[in-house]
Amino acid sequence: MKILFIGDIVGEPGRRYVGEILDQMLPEMQPDLVVANAENATRGRGLSRQSAEELYDAGVEILTMGNHTWDQRQIFEFIDDDMRIVRPANYPQGTPGRGFTVVRVGKHEVLIINVMGRTFLSTLDCPFEAVDKILADHPQIRHVLVDMHAEVTSEKLGMGWAFAGKVSAVLGTHTHVPTADARILPGGTAYISDVGMVGPHDGILGMKREQVIRRMRTQLPTKFEVADGPRQFCAVLLELDDESGKALRIEQVHCEEPSA
């Protein structure tokens, strides 16, 4: 089984680039499932219905989220009804939406879990306990993907080692910068601290750099807007054993338009 996981998609430039790259690469890669983190897909913060539909039309099948899940108020109108959207599972009980979803790929089910770290982010429930519970409720599923949306690499590594041999992959998102530590952990769990982002690569994390630098210099409230210019596409391609769900390979995928 092949799964393509796409890093944080930033704004309209990111959405459009996803569509362009998938048009080019899907025939060659032939993934069985395409998953993407979409918490920044609408104007750099949150997800609207229109943005979600654009990504589905482009070929993305499951959307994971993160700390910007609720930044587009419109999401409350559709997140409960759309089984393709997975917000962090460690939000308190009663939060709209779902922290996992199950999709059928050929003869097999794939369990996709989203959790959020707590260091420098919102203080949510324990992400480790959230994954424990979901796995306990789905003991029959062997193909399990965890999107660990977190700020610090230590929390992501902790998630990777805690579930090494128990899930197919632990993939870090949120920092928008691809890390160079893709590997297979003992027990057959693919791991990377951060997949990276899709969007303008001459901004700062996809946003206009002048605005971000002004905020850093002055510490005053500053509105951030999605940057213009050349774009990058960051993802990982996983190969999982059909029967055991163990990861056989993790390959980073990086495409980039030249800077002006």
Side-chain angles (χ1 to χ4, degrees):
M1 182 188 299
K2 289 184 180 180
I3 298 177
L4 181 67
F5 184 92
I6 302 169
D8 304 55
I9 299 167
V10 181
E12 183 180 12
R15 299 196 309 271
R16 289 193 174 186
Y17 205 36
V18 165
E20 294 169 23
I21 293 297
L22 291 186
D23 278 346
Q24 299 170 24
M25 298 179 69
L26 286 186
E28 178 182 349
M29 286 187 174
Q30 296 186 327
D32 300 292
L33 180 66
V34 180
V35 183
N37 186 287
E39 69 133 12
N40 301 117
T42 301
R43 294 189 290 276
R45 299 176 68 95
L47 178 69
S48 69
R49 187 188 297 273
Q50 179 180 342
S51 296
E53 294 297 335
E54 285 181 26
L55 293 172
Y56 297 147
D57 290 344
V60 180
E61 296 162 89
I62 301 295
L63 303 176
T64 57
M65 300 297 286
N67 56 298
H68 290 302
T69 298
W70 316 112
D71 286 7
Q72 298 293 325
R73 301 276 307 169
Q74 184 190 108
I75 198 168
F76 291 101
E77 300 172 7
F78 62 90
I79 192 170
D80 282 330
D81 299 322
D82 194 336
M83 297 291 291
R84 297 166 292 182
I85 298 174
V86 187
R87 50 86 174 150
N90 52 324
Y91 273 109
Q93 187 174 2
T95 300
R98 60 198 51 79
F100 68 90
T101 196
V102 177
V103 295
R104 180 163 290 277
V105 177
K107 299 185 297 182
H108 304 285
E109 289 183 316
V110 179
L111 173 61
I112 300 160
I113 304 170
N114 186 198
V115 286
M116 195 162 84
R118 297 185 287 185
T119 304
F120 305 132
L121 289 173
S122 301
T123 304
L124 301 183
D125 297 338
C126 176
F128 298 90
E129 291 182 3
V131 175
D132 281 335
K133 183 178 187 310
I134 294 169
L135 293 181
D137 290 341
H138 299 83
Q140 78 283 5
I141 299 181
R142 297 176 181 176
H143 299 77
V144 182
L145 179 71
V146 179
D147 175 353
M148 176 58 167
H149 196 82
E151 191 78 53
V152 296
T153 53
S154 57
E155 251 186 321
K156 298 178 186 184
L157 280 163
M159 181 64 64
W161 282 108
F163 293 97
K166 301 177 182 178
V167 301
S168 304
V170 173
L171 307 175
T173 59
H174 177 66
T175 65
H176 294 202
V177 179
T179 53
D181 59 345
R183 60 181 293 194
I184 306 293
L185 297 176
T189 296
Y191 175 83
I192 187 170
S193 291
D194 204 280
V195 176
M197 60 163 268
V198 183
H201 68 71
D202 285 346
I204 295 178
L205 308 186
M207 311 308 283
K208 290 184 177 179
R209 58 182 182 267
E210 298 83 1
Q211 298 169 348
V212 178
I213 293 170
R214 185 183 309 125
R215 171 68 179 270
M216 291 175 175
R217 283 183 175 275
T218 67
Q219 296 298 298
L220 295 174
T222 305
K223 181 181 179 180
F224 293 163
E225 298 171 299
V226 177
D228 303 311
R231 302 162 297 176
Q232 66 178 1
F233 176 94
C234 297
V236 291
L237 182 64
L238 307 172
E239 288 189 14
L240 310 181
D241 182 81
D242 282 342
E243 298 306 319
S244 69
K246 294 183 182 300
L248 304 174
R249 187 165 72 99
I250 177 171
E251 175 188 350
Q252 290 183 264
V253 179
H254 185 85
C255 304
E256 187 173 297
E257 295 176 318
S259 297

